[in-house]
Amino acid sequence: MSMESPVIPPPALDPLIQARLREFVARRRGLILRRGLLGALAAWLGTVICVAAADLLFLLEDGTRLGLSLGAYALAAAAFWRLAGRPLRERADLGAAARWLEASDPQLREWVLAAVELGQANPVVHDSIAFRGLVQQQVARELSSRDVRQLLPATLVTHWVKVAALALLLVAALFCVPGLPTARLLARAAWPGANLDRVSRTRLEVVEPTPAEPTVPRGGVLPVVVQVGGRA
């Protein structure tokens, strides 16, 4: 008759470790999303300003302006995907969360991941159950003394805050330029499908007839006096 030792299940992962890992993942996702939105905003504003400048300097056809304006949205979408979309698609299980947390705090390197792996269900345990429990207790004690906001501070996205703020300041500066129709230029660049008149240095104003007569007999002659303003 063979004698087999009973299989002792490993201790479950400490609830405090699980809670801290989930908190870490949630804050990481929030910072990544913020970074993506700021980067997309900066890319969109920068491209819209370039399209508006081209619309002012050159006689852009409607199709050309449409393509350039849609390119601004495509560039913003690409920036968001690179900065946030792709990282957010990464699998965020406990093992991945442990590696990310260890990368943010070198003092915890290999300890958190070891605690997660030792707390996973295993049909056969070849090491000491007491050792597994001791590792988890030690890691739980270390994590209880750490603030996730300090491991992932808001300053990690400071660069993208500055970039987006610079783009907004540039837009504000354009509104301060005398005689520059900034609002119409940006509107034409941002909404390519909108039926907005092209910005021109020359303005035409119908002086006569007054009031304007919308109905004219076919073949009739209607004298019109037009005042030309602006720069040539």
Side-chain angles (χ1 to χ4, degrees), residues 2-3 6 8 18 26 29 31 34 38 41 68 83 89 114 116 127 146 163 167 172 184 187 197 203-204 217:
S2 62
M3 300 291 295
I8 303 177
Q18 296 186 47
R29 289 178 62 89
L31 290 176
R34 193 182 309 174
L38 290 171
L41 175 63
L68 292 176
L83 295 173
R89 284 177 58 89
V116 171
D127 50 21
R146 283 168 169 78
V163 171
R184 179 176 294 182
D197 292 336
R203 295 187 300 273
L204 301 179

mmCIF file with all atom_site columns, all heavy atoms in Angstrom, residues 2-3 6 8 18 26 29 31 34 38 41 68 83 89 114 116 127 146 163 167 172 184 187 197 203-204 217:
data_model
loop_
_atom_site.group_PDB
_atom_site.id
_atom_site.type_symbol
_atom_site.label_atom_id
_atom_site.label_alt_id
_atom_site.label_comp_id
_atom_site.label_asym_id
_atom_site.label_entity_id
_atom_site.label_seq_id
_atom_site.pdbx_PDB_ins_code
_atom_site.Cartn_x
_atom_site.Cartn_y
_atom_site.Cartn_z
_atom_site.occupancy
_atom_site.B_iso_or_equiv
_atom_site.pdbx_formal_charge
_atom_site.auth_seq_id
_atom_site.auth_comp_id
_atom_site.auth_asym_id
_atom_site.auth_atom_id
_atom_site.pdbx_PDB_model_num
ATOM 1   N N   . SER A 1 2   ? 0.662   2.144  -0.961  1.00 0.00 ? 2   SER A N   1
ATOM 2   C CA  . SER A 1 2   ? 1.486   3.342  -1.060  1.00 0.00 ? 2   SER A CA  1
ATOM 3   C C   . SER A 1 2   ? 0.921   4.422  -0.161  1.00 0.00 ? 2   SER A C   1
ATOM 4   O O   . SER A 1 2   ? -0.289  4.553  0.014   1.00 0.00 ? 2   SER A O   1
ATOM 5   C CB  . SER A 1 2   ? 1.529   3.831  -2.502  1.00 0.00 ? 2   SER A CB  1
ATOM 6   O OG  . SER A 1 2   ? 0.221   4.177  -2.928  1.00 0.00 ? 2   SER A OG  1
ATOM 7   N N   . MET A 1 3   ? 1.838   5.149  0.410   1.00 0.00 ? 3   MET A N   1
ATOM 8   C CA  . MET A 1 3   ? 1.456   6.250  1.296   1.00 0.00 ? 3   MET A CA  1
ATOM 9   C C   . MET A 1 3   ? 1.700   7.556  0.551   1.00 0.00 ? 3   MET A C   1
ATOM 10  O O   . MET A 1 3   ? 2.821   7.839  0.142   1.00 0.00 ? 3   MET A O   1
ATOM 11  C CB  . MET A 1 3   ? 2.273   6.210  2.587   1.00 0.00 ? 3   MET A CB  1
ATOM 12  C CG  . MET A 1 3   ? 2.086   4.918  3.373   1.00 0.00 ? 3   MET A CG  1
ATOM 13  S SD  . MET A 1 3   ? 0.420   4.803  4.061   1.00 0.00 ? 3   MET A SD  1
ATOM 14  C CE  . MET A 1 3   ? 0.466   6.160  5.205   1.00 0.00 ? 3   MET A CE  1
ATOM 15  N N   . PRO A 1 6   ? -0.836  14.301 1.870   1.00 0.00 ? 6   PRO A N   1
ATOM 16  C CA  . PRO A 1 6   ? -1.975  15.107 1.425   1.00 0.00 ? 6   PRO A CA  1
ATOM 17  C C   . PRO A 1 6   ? -1.505  16.387 0.739   1.00 0.00 ? 6   PRO A C   1
ATOM 18  O O   . PRO A 1 6   ? -0.483  16.968 1.089   1.00 0.00 ? 6   PRO A O   1
ATOM 19  C CB  . PRO A 1 6   ? -2.723  15.426 2.725   1.00 0.00 ? 6   PRO A CB  1
ATOM 20  C CG  . PRO A 1 6   ? -1.681  15.328 3.789   1.00 0.00 ? 6   PRO A CG  1
ATOM 21  C CD  . PRO A 1 6   ? -0.740  14.240 3.341   1.00 0.00 ? 6   PRO A CD  1
ATOM 22  N N   . ILE A 1 8   ? -1.603  20.108 0.129   1.00 0.00 ? 8   ILE A N   1
ATOM 23  C CA  . ILE A 1 8   ? -1.983  21.289 0.908   1.00 0.00 ? 8   ILE A CA  1
ATOM 24  C C   . ILE A 1 8   ? -2.057  22.477 -0.042  1.00 0.00 ? 8   ILE A C   1
ATOM 25  O O   . ILE A 1 8   ? -1.061  22.810 -0.689  1.00 0.00 ? 8   ILE A O   1
ATOM 26  C CB  . ILE A 1 8   ? -0.977  21.573 2.029   1.00 0.00 ? 8   ILE A CB  1
ATOM 27  C CG1 . ILE A 1 8   ? -0.846  20.347 2.927   1.00 0.00 ? 8   ILE A CG1 1
ATOM 28  C CG2 . ILE A 1 8   ? -1.393  22.804 2.837   1.00 0.00 ? 8   ILE A CG2 1
ATOM 29  C CD1 . ILE A 1 8   ? 0.183   20.499 4.021   1.00 0.00 ? 8   ILE A CD1 1
ATOM 30  N N   . GLN A 1 18  ? -4.006  42.385 -3.360  1.00 0.00 ? 18  GLN A N   1
ATOM 31  C CA  . GLN A 1 18  ? -4.932  42.481 -4.487  1.00 0.00 ? 18  GLN A CA  1
ATOM 32  C C   . GLN A 1 18  ? -5.514  43.888 -4.592  1.00 0.00 ? 18  GLN A C   1
ATOM 33  O O   . GLN A 1 18  ? -5.603  44.455 -5.696  1.00 0.00 ? 18  GLN A O   1
ATOM 34  C CB  . GLN A 1 18  ? -6.059  41.467 -4.313  1.00 0.00 ? 18  GLN A CB  1
ATOM 35  C CG  . GLN A 1 18  ? -5.609  40.017 -4.337  1.00 0.00 ? 18  GLN A CG  1
ATOM 36  C CD  . GLN A 1 18  ? -6.783  39.063 -4.309  1.00 0.00 ? 18  GLN A CD  1
ATOM 37  O OE1 . GLN A 1 18  ? -7.753  39.220 -5.044  1.00 0.00 ? 18  GLN A OE1 1
ATOM 38  N NE2 . GLN A 1 18  ? -6.710  38.051 -3.463  1.00 0.00 ? 18  GLN A NE2 1
ATOM 39  N N   . ALA A 1 26  ? -5.773  51.025 -11.762 1.00 0.00 ? 26  ALA A N   1
ATOM 40  C CA  . ALA A 1 26  ? -6.761  52.064 -12.045 1.00 0.00 ? 26  ALA A CA  1
ATOM 41  C C   . ALA A 1 26  ? -6.092  53.428 -12.213 1.00 0.00 ? 26  ALA A C   1
ATOM 42  O O   . ALA A 1 26  ? -6.429  54.188 -13.130 1.00 0.00 ? 26  ALA A O   1
ATOM 43  C CB  . ALA A 1 26  ? -7.796  52.117 -10.928 1.00 0.00 ? 26  ALA A CB  1
ATOM 44  N N   . ARG A 1 29  ? -4.140  53.517 -15.527 1.00 0.00 ? 29  ARG A N   1
ATOM 45  C CA  . ARG A 1 29  ? -5.028  53.703 -16.673 1.00 0.00 ? 29  ARG A CA  1
ATOM 46  C C   . ARG A 1 29  ? -5.473  55.163 -16.771 1.00 0.00 ? 29  ARG A C   1
ATOM 47  O O   . ARG A 1 29  ? -5.569  55.725 -17.860 1.00 0.00 ? 29  ARG A O   1
ATOM 48  C CB  . ARG A 1 29  ? -6.247  52.788 -16.557 1.00 0.00 ? 29  ARG A CB  1
ATOM 49  C CG  . ARG A 1 29  ? -5.935  51.322 -16.762 1.00 0.00 ? 29  ARG A CG  1
ATOM 50  C CD  . ARG A 1 29  ? -7.192  50.469 -16.593 1.00 0.00 ? 29  ARG A CD  1
ATOM 51  N NE  . ARG A 1 29  ? -8.190  50.822 -17.581 1.00 0.00 ? 29  ARG A NE  1
ATOM 52  C CZ  . ARG A 1 29  ? -8.277  50.280 -18.784 1.00 0.00 ? 29  ARG A CZ  1
ATOM 53  N NH1 . ARG A 1 29  ? -7.416  49.348 -19.148 1.00 0.00 ? 29  ARG A NH1 1
ATOM 54  N NH2 . ARG A 1 29  ? -9.227  50.649 -19.616 1.00 0.00 ? 29  ARG A NH2 1
ATOM 55  N N   . LEU A 1 31  ? -3.855  57.872 -15.741 1.00 0.00 ? 31  LEU A N   1
ATOM 56  C CA  . LEU A 1 31  ? -2.755  58.709 -16.213 1.00 0.00 ? 31  LEU A CA  1
ATOM 57  C C   . LEU A 1 31  ? -2.495  58.496 -17.707 1.00 0.00 ? 31  LEU A C   1
ATOM 58  O O   . LEU A 1 31  ? -2.209  59.445 -18.439 1.00 0.00 ? 31  LEU A O   1
ATOM 59  C CB  . LEU A 1 31  ? -1.496  58.411 -15.405 1.00 0.00 ? 31  LEU A CB  1
ATOM 60  C CG  . LEU A 1 31  ? -1.512  58.873 -13.944 1.00 0.00 ? 31  LEU A CG  1
ATOM 61  C CD1 . LEU A 1 31  ? -0.242  58.422 -13.232 1.00 0.00 ? 31  LEU A CD1 1
ATOM 62  C CD2 . LEU A 1 31  ? -1.671  60.384 -13.836 1.00 0.00 ? 31  LEU A CD2 1
ATOM 63  N N   . ARG A 1 34  ? -5.199  60.288 -19.593 1.00 0.00 ? 34  ARG A N   1
ATOM 64  C CA  . ARG A 1 34  ? -4.953  61.735 -19.564 1.00 0.00 ? 34  ARG A CA  1
ATOM 65  C C   . ARG A 1 34  ? -3.839  62.112 -20.531 1.00 0.00 ? 34  ARG A C   1
ATOM 66  O O   . ARG A 1 34  ? -3.937  63.110 -21.240 1.00 0.00 ? 34  ARG A O   1
ATOM 67  C CB  . ARG A 1 34  ? -4.591  62.161 -18.136 1.00 0.00 ? 34  ARG A CB  1
ATOM 68  C CG  . ARG A 1 34  ? -4.614  63.660 -17.893 1.00 0.00 ? 34  ARG A CG  1
ATOM 69  C CD  . ARG A 1 34  ? -4.204  63.977 -16.465 1.00 0.00 ? 34  ARG A CD  1
ATOM 70  N NE  . ARG A 1 34  ? -4.965  63.198 -15.497 1.00 0.00 ? 34  ARG A NE  1
ATOM 71  C CZ  . ARG A 1 34  ? -4.718  63.198 -14.186 1.00 0.00 ? 34  ARG A CZ  1
ATOM 72  N NH1 . ARG A 1 34  ? -3.723  63.949 -13.709 1.00 0.00 ? 34  ARG A NH1 1
ATOM 73  N NH2 . ARG A 1 34  ? -5.447  62.470 -13.378 1.00 0.00 ? 34  ARG A NH2 1
ATOM 74  N N   . LEU A 1 38  ? -4.365  64.658 -23.777 1.00 0.00 ? 38  LEU A N   1
ATOM 75  C CA  . LEU A 1 38  ? -3.564  65.873 -23.904 1.00 0.00 ? 38  LEU A CA  1
ATOM 76  C C   . LEU A 1 38  ? -2.739  65.854 -25.190 1.00 0.00 ? 38  LEU A C   1
ATOM 77  O O   . LEU A 1 38  ? -2.631  66.865 -25.894 1.00 0.00 ? 38  LEU A O   1
ATOM 78  C CB  . LEU A 1 38  ? -2.642  66.016 -22.688 1.00 0.00 ? 38  LEU A CB  1
ATOM 79  C CG  . LEU A 1 38  ? -3.337  66.345 -21.363 1.00 0.00 ? 38  LEU A CG  1
ATOM 80  C CD1 . LEU A 1 38  ? -2.348  66.228 -20.207 1.00 0.00 ? 38  LEU A CD1 1
ATOM 81  C CD2 . LEU A 1 38  ? -3.943  67.735 -21.395 1.00 0.00 ? 38  LEU A CD2 1
ATOM 82  N N   . LEU A 1 41  ? -5.063  66.437 -28.145 1.00 0.00 ? 41  LEU A N   1
ATOM 83  C CA  . LEU A 1 41  ? -5.472  67.837 -28.216 1.00 0.00 ? 41  LEU A CA  1
ATOM 84  C C   . LEU A 1 41  ? -4.360  68.704 -28.801 1.00 0.00 ? 41  LEU A C   1
ATOM 85  O O   . LEU A 1 41  ? -4.608  69.557 -29.665 1.00 0.00 ? 41  LEU A O   1
ATOM 86  C CB  . LEU A 1 41  ? -5.850  68.338 -26.822 1.00 0.00 ? 41  LEU A CB  1
ATOM 87  C CG  . LEU A 1 41  ? -6.184  69.832 -26.711 1.00 0.00 ? 41  LEU A CG  1
ATOM 88  C CD1 . LEU A 1 41  ? -7.408  70.176 -27.550 1.00 0.00 ? 41  LEU A CD1 1
ATOM 89  C CD2 . LEU A 1 41  ? -6.409  70.224 -25.252 1.00 0.00 ? 41  LEU A CD2 1
ATOM 90  N N   . LEU A 1 68  ? -7.056  68.415 -45.760 1.00 0.00 ? 68  LEU A N   1
ATOM 91  C CA  . LEU A 1 68  ? -6.148  68.860 -44.704 1.00 0.00 ? 68  LEU A CA  1
ATOM 92  C C   . LEU A 1 68  ? -6.832  68.846 -43.341 1.00 0.00 ? 68  LEU A C   1
ATOM 93  O O   . LEU A 1 68  ? -6.221  68.466 -42.331 1.00 0.00 ? 68  LEU A O   1
ATOM 94  C CB  . LEU A 1 68  ? -5.637  70.271 -45.024 1.00 0.00 ? 68  LEU A CB  1
ATOM 95  C CG  . LEU A 1 68  ? -4.715  70.399 -46.237 1.00 0.00 ? 68  LEU A CG  1
ATOM 96  C CD1 . LEU A 1 68  ? -4.374  71.858 -46.498 1.00 0.00 ? 68  LEU A CD1 1
ATOM 97  C CD2 . LEU A 1 68  ? -3.446  69.576 -46.035 1.00 0.00 ? 68  LEU A CD2 1
ATOM 98  N N   . LEU A 1 83  ? -0.282  57.074 -27.652 1.00 0.00 ? 83  LEU A N   1
ATOM 99  C CA  . LEU A 1 83  ? -0.025  57.462 -26.269 1.00 0.00 ? 83  LEU A CA  1
ATOM 100 C C   . LEU A 1 83  ? -0.936  56.762 -25.271 1.00 0.00 ? 83  LEU A C   1
ATOM 101 O O   . LEU A 1 83  ? -0.553  56.601 -24.108 1.00 0.00 ? 83  LEU A O   1
ATOM 102 C CB  . LEU A 1 83  ? -0.174  58.981 -26.112 1.00 0.00 ? 83  LEU A CB  1
ATOM 103 C CG  . LEU A 1 83  ? 0.836   59.843 -26.880 1.00 0.00 ? 83  LEU A CG  1
ATOM 104 C CD1 . LEU A 1 83  ? 0.461   61.313 -26.767 1.00 0.00 ? 83  LEU A CD1 1
ATOM 105 C CD2 . LEU A 1 83  ? 2.249   59.602 -26.360 1.00 0.00 ? 83  LEU A CD2 1
ATOM 106 N N   . ARG A 1 89  ? -4.648  48.688 -24.130 1.00 0.00 ? 89  ARG A N   1
ATOM 107 C CA  . ARG A 1 89  ? -5.054  47.367 -24.606 1.00 0.00 ? 89  ARG A CA  1
ATOM 108 C C   . ARG A 1 89  ? -4.224  46.247 -23.975 1.00 0.00 ? 89  ARG A C   1
ATOM 109 O O   . ARG A 1 89  ? -4.554  45.071 -24.142 1.00 0.00 ? 89  ARG A O   1
ATOM 110 C CB  . ARG A 1 89  ? -4.943  47.296 -26.129 1.00 0.00 ? 89  ARG A CB  1
ATOM 111 C CG  . ARG A 1 89  ? -6.059  48.026 -26.857 1.00 0.00 ? 89  ARG A CG  1
ATOM 112 C CD  . ARG A 1 89  ? -5.840  47.984 -28.354 1.00 0.00 ? 89  ARG A CD  1
ATOM 113 N NE  . ARG A 1 89  ? -5.749  46.618 -28.844 1.00 0.00 ? 89  ARG A NE  1
ATOM 114 C CZ  . ARG A 1 89  ? -6.791  45.886 -29.233 1.00 0.00 ? 89  ARG A CZ  1
ATOM 115 N NH1 . ARG A 1 89  ? -8.009  46.404 -29.180 1.00 0.00 ? 89  ARG A NH1 1
ATOM 116 N NH2 . ARG A 1 89  ? -6.621  44.663 -29.690 1.00 0.00 ? 89  ARG A NH2 1
ATOM 117 N N   . ALA A 1 114 ? 6.660   37.824 -6.981  1.00 0.00 ? 114 ALA A N   1
ATOM 118 C CA  . ALA A 1 114 ? 6.818   36.549 -6.278  1.00 0.00 ? 114 ALA A CA  1
ATOM 119 C C   . ALA A 1 114 ? 5.611   36.271 -5.383  1.00 0.00 ? 114 ALA A C   1
ATOM 120 O O   . ALA A 1 114 ? 5.116   35.137 -5.321  1.00 0.00 ? 114 ALA A O   1
ATOM 121 C CB  . ALA A 1 114 ? 8.094   36.565 -5.450  1.00 0.00 ? 114 ALA A CB  1
ATOM 122 N N   . VAL A 1 116 ? 2.563   37.324 -5.843  1.00 0.00 ? 116 VAL A N   1
ATOM 123 C CA  . VAL A 1 116 ? 1.426   36.988 -6.699  1.00 0.00 ? 116 VAL A CA  1
ATOM 124 C C   . VAL A 1 116 ? 1.540   35.549 -7.183  1.00 0.00 ? 116 VAL A C   1
ATOM 125 O O   . VAL A 1 116 ? 0.564   34.787 -7.146  1.00 0.00 ? 116 VAL A O   1
ATOM 126 C CB  . VAL A 1 116 ? 1.344   37.965 -7.884  1.00 0.00 ? 116 VAL A CB  1
ATOM 127 C CG1 . VAL A 1 116 ? 0.305   37.494 -8.904  1.00 0.00 ? 116 VAL A CG1 1
ATOM 128 C CG2 . VAL A 1 116 ? 0.996   39.362 -7.399  1.00 0.00 ? 116 VAL A CG2 1
ATOM 129 N N   . ASP A 1 127 ? 7.172   23.721 -2.225  1.00 0.00 ? 127 ASP A N   1
ATOM 130 C CA  . ASP A 1 127 ? 7.927   24.492 -1.237  1.00 0.00 ? 127 ASP A CA  1
ATOM 131 C C   . ASP A 1 127 ? 7.103   24.638 0.029   1.00 0.00 ? 127 ASP A C   1
ATOM 132 O O   . ASP A 1 127 ? 6.033   24.074 0.164   1.00 0.00 ? 127 ASP A O   1
ATOM 133 C CB  . ASP A 1 127 ? 8.309   25.858 -1.806  1.00 0.00 ? 127 ASP A CB  1
ATOM 134 C CG  . ASP A 1 127 ? 7.117   26.574 -2.413  1.00 0.00 ? 127 ASP A CG  1
ATOM 135 O OD1 . ASP A 1 127 ? 5.991   26.223 -2.045  1.00 0.00 ? 127 ASP A OD1 1
ATOM 136 O OD2 . ASP A 1 127 ? 7.308   27.465 -3.256  1.00 0.00 ? 127 ASP A OD2 1
ATOM 137 N N   . ARG A 1 146 ? 2.891   52.309 1.474   1.00 0.00 ? 146 ARG A N   1
ATOM 138 C CA  . ARG A 1 146 ? 3.128   53.069 0.247   1.00 0.00 ? 146 ARG A CA  1
ATOM 139 C C   . ARG A 1 146 ? 1.817   53.618 -0.305  1.00 0.00 ? 146 ARG A C   1
ATOM 140 O O   . ARG A 1 146 ? 0.794   52.951 -0.275  1.00 0.00 ? 146 ARG A O   1
ATOM 141 C CB  . ARG A 1 146 ? 3.825   52.203 -0.803  1.00 0.00 ? 146 ARG A CB  1
ATOM 142 C CG  . ARG A 1 146 ? 5.318   52.015 -0.526  1.00 0.00 ? 146 ARG A CG  1
ATOM 143 C CD  . ARG A 1 146 ? 5.899   50.934 -1.407  1.00 0.00 ? 146 ARG A CD  1
ATOM 144 N NE  . ARG A 1 146 ? 7.353   50.907 -1.349  1.00 0.00 ? 146 ARG A NE  1
ATOM 145 C CZ  . ARG A 1 146 ? 8.042   50.368 -0.351  1.00 0.00 ? 146 ARG A CZ  1
ATOM 146 N NH1 . ARG A 1 146 ? 7.406   49.827 0.682   1.00 0.00 ? 146 ARG A NH1 1
ATOM 147 N NH2 . ARG A 1 146 ? 9.368   50.385 -0.374  1.00 0.00 ? 146 ARG A NH2 1
ATOM 148 N N   . VAL A 1 163 ? 2.695   70.743 -23.208 1.00 0.00 ? 163 VAL A N   1
ATOM 149 C CA  . VAL A 1 163 ? 2.540   70.762 -24.659 1.00 0.00 ? 163 VAL A CA  1
ATOM 150 C C   . VAL A 1 163 ? 1.137   71.238 -25.041 1.00 0.00 ? 163 VAL A C   1
ATOM 151 O O   . VAL A 1 163 ? 0.965   72.093 -25.934 1.00 0.00 ? 163 VAL A O   1
ATOM 152 C CB  . VAL A 1 163 ? 2.823   69.369 -25.249 1.00 0.00 ? 163 VAL A CB  1
ATOM 153 C CG1 . VAL A 1 163 ? 2.463   69.320 -26.724 1.00 0.00 ? 163 VAL A CG1 1
ATOM 154 C CG2 . VAL A 1 163 ? 4.298   69.007 -25.056 1.00 0.00 ? 163 VAL A CG2 1
ATOM 155 N N   . ALA A 1 167 ? -0.044  74.827 -26.951 1.00 0.00 ? 167 ALA A N   1
ATOM 156 C CA  . ALA A 1 167 ? -0.919  74.922 -28.129 1.00 0.00 ? 167 ALA A CA  1
ATOM 157 C C   . ALA A 1 167 ? -2.099  75.861 -27.867 1.00 0.00 ? 167 ALA A C   1
ATOM 158 O O   . ALA A 1 167 ? -2.478  76.661 -28.729 1.00 0.00 ? 167 ALA A O   1
ATOM 159 C CB  . ALA A 1 167 ? -1.409  73.527 -28.519 1.00 0.00 ? 167 ALA A CB  1
ATOM 160 N N   . ALA A 1 172 ? -4.666  81.382 -28.333 1.00 0.00 ? 172 ALA A N   1
ATOM 161 C CA  . ALA A 1 172 ? -5.055  82.639 -27.689 1.00 0.00 ? 172 ALA A CA  1
ATOM 162 C C   . ALA A 1 172 ? -4.268  83.814 -28.250 1.00 0.00 ? 172 ALA A C   1
ATOM 163 O O   . ALA A 1 172 ? -4.805  84.915 -28.423 1.00 0.00 ? 172 ALA A O   1
ATOM 164 C CB  . ALA A 1 172 ? -4.847  82.527 -26.176 1.00 0.00 ? 172 ALA A CB  1
ATOM 165 N N   . ARG A 1 184 ? -12.755 82.854 -37.827 1.00 0.00 ? 184 ARG A N   1
ATOM 166 C CA  . ARG A 1 184 ? -13.223 82.232 -39.073 1.00 0.00 ? 184 ARG A CA  1
ATOM 167 C C   . ARG A 1 184 ? -12.192 81.257 -39.629 1.00 0.00 ? 184 ARG A C   1
ATOM 168 O O   . ARG A 1 184 ? -12.530 80.180 -40.120 1.00 0.00 ? 184 ARG A O   1
ATOM 169 C CB  . ARG A 1 184 ? -13.548 83.297 -40.110 1.00 0.00 ? 184 ARG A CB  1
ATOM 170 C CG  . ARG A 1 184 ? -14.009 82.709 -41.448 1.00 0.00 ? 184 ARG A CG  1
ATOM 171 C CD  . ARG A 1 184 ? -14.426 83.754 -42.424 1.00 0.00 ? 184 ARG A CD  1
ATOM 172 N NE  . ARG A 1 184 ? -15.628 84.462 -41.978 1.00 0.00 ? 184 ARG A NE  1
ATOM 173 C CZ  . ARG A 1 184 ? -16.219 85.405 -42.686 1.00 0.00 ? 184 ARG A CZ  1
ATOM 174 N NH1 . ARG A 1 184 ? -15.730 85.767 -43.853 1.00 0.00 ? 184 ARG A NH1 1
ATOM 175 N NH2 . ARG A 1 184 ? -17.308 86.002 -42.230 1.00 0.00 ? 184 ARG A NH2 1
ATOM 176 N N   . ALA A 1 187 ? -12.342 78.155 -37.557 1.00 0.00 ? 187 ALA A N   1
ATOM 177 C CA  . ALA A 1 187 ? -13.604 77.446 -37.803 1.00 0.00 ? 187 ALA A CA  1
ATOM 178 C C   . ALA A 1 187 ? -13.566 76.711 -39.131 1.00 0.00 ? 187 ALA A C   1
ATOM 179 O O   . ALA A 1 187 ? -14.026 75.558 -39.236 1.00 0.00 ? 187 ALA A O   1
ATOM 180 C CB  . ALA A 1 187 ? -14.767 78.438 -37.764 1.00 0.00 ? 187 ALA A CB  1
ATOM 181 N N   . ASP A 1 197 ? -17.597 81.248 -45.570 1.00 0.00 ? 197 ASP A N   1
ATOM 182 C CA  . ASP A 1 197 ? -16.921 82.020 -46.614 1.00 0.00 ? 197 ASP A CA  1
ATOM 183 C C   . ASP A 1 197 ? -15.415 81.999 -46.394 1.00 0.00 ? 197 ASP A C   1
ATOM 184 O O   . ASP A 1 197 ? -14.929 81.986 -45.263 1.00 0.00 ? 197 ASP A O   1
ATOM 185 C CB  . ASP A 1 197 ? -17.419 83.465 -46.612 1.00 0.00 ? 197 ASP A CB  1
ATOM 186 C CG  . ASP A 1 197 ? -18.867 83.566 -47.048 1.00 0.00 ? 197 ASP A CG  1
ATOM 187 O OD1 . ASP A 1 197 ? -19.323 82.647 -47.750 1.00 0.00 ? 197 ASP A OD1 1
ATOM 188 O OD2 . ASP A 1 197 ? -19.537 84.549 -46.668 1.00 0.00 ? 197 ASP A OD2 1
ATOM 189 N N   . ARG A 1 203 ? -12.821 93.138 -49.465 1.00 0.00 ? 203 ARG A N   1
ATOM 190 C CA  . ARG A 1 203 ? -14.232 93.045 -49.086 1.00 0.00 ? 203 ARG A CA  1
ATOM 191 C C   . ARG A 1 203 ? -15.082 93.830 -50.086 1.00 0.00 ? 203 ARG A C   1
ATOM 192 O O   . ARG A 1 203 ? -14.728 94.959 -50.462 1.00 0.00 ? 203 ARG A O   1
ATOM 193 C CB  . ARG A 1 203 ? -14.448 93.588 -47.677 1.00 0.00 ? 203 ARG A CB  1
ATOM 194 C CG  . ARG A 1 203 ? -13.767 92.777 -46.584 1.00 0.00 ? 203 ARG A CG  1
ATOM 195 C CD  . ARG A 1 203 ? -14.174 93.284 -45.215 1.00 0.00 ? 203 ARG A CD  1
ATOM 196 N NE  . ARG A 1 203 ? -13.803 94.689 -45.034 1.00 0.00 ? 203 ARG A NE  1
ATOM 197 C CZ  . ARG A 1 203 ? -12.619 95.091 -44.584 1.00 0.00 ? 203 ARG A CZ  1
ATOM 198 N NH1 . ARG A 1 203 ? -11.683 94.187 -44.302 1.00 0.00 ? 203 ARG A NH1 1
ATOM 199 N NH2 . ARG A 1 203 ? -12.365 96.385 -44.433 1.00 0.00 ? 203 ARG A NH2 1
ATOM 200 N N   . LEU A 1 204 ? -16.186 93.233 -50.496 1.00 0.00 ? 204 LEU A N   1
ATOM 201 C CA  . LEU A 1 204 ? -17.127 93.874 -51.419 1.00 0.00 ? 204 LEU A CA  1
ATOM 202 C C   . LEU A 1 204 ? -18.425 94.163 -50.686 1.00 0.00 ? 204 LEU A C   1
ATOM 203 O O   . LEU A 1 204 ? -18.984 93.279 -50.030 1.00 0.00 ? 204 LEU A O   1
ATOM 204 C CB  . LEU A 1 204 ? -17.388 92.979 -52.633 1.00 0.00 ? 204 LEU A CB  1
ATOM 205 C CG  . LEU A 1 204 ? -16.176 92.599 -53.485 1.00 0.00 ? 204 LEU A CG  1
ATOM 206 C CD1 . LEU A 1 204 ? -16.606 91.691 -54.629 1.00 0.00 ? 204 LEU A CD1 1
ATOM 207 C CD2 . LEU A 1 204 ? -15.468 93.835 -54.026 1.00 0.00 ? 204 LEU A CD2 1
ATOM 208 N N   . PRO A 1 217 ? -36.279 91.592 -63.538 1.00 0.00 ? 217 PRO A N   1
ATOM 209 C CA  . PRO A 1 217 ? -36.861 90.998 -64.754 1.00 0.00 ? 217 PRO A CA  1
ATOM 210 C C   . PRO A 1 217 ? -35.778 90.365 -65.625 1.00 0.00 ? 217 PRO A C   1
ATOM 211 O O   . PRO A 1 217 ? -34.652 90.874 -65.704 1.00 0.00 ? 217 PRO A O   1
ATOM 212 C CB  . PRO A 1 217 ? -37.504 92.202 -65.454 1.00 0.00 ? 217 PRO A CB  1
ATOM 213 C CG  . PRO A 1 217 ? -37.705 93.211 -64.376 1.00 0.00 ? 217 PRO A CG  1
ATOM 214 C CD  . PRO A 1 217 ? -36.582 93.013 -63.405 1.00 0.00 ? 217 PRO A CD  1
#
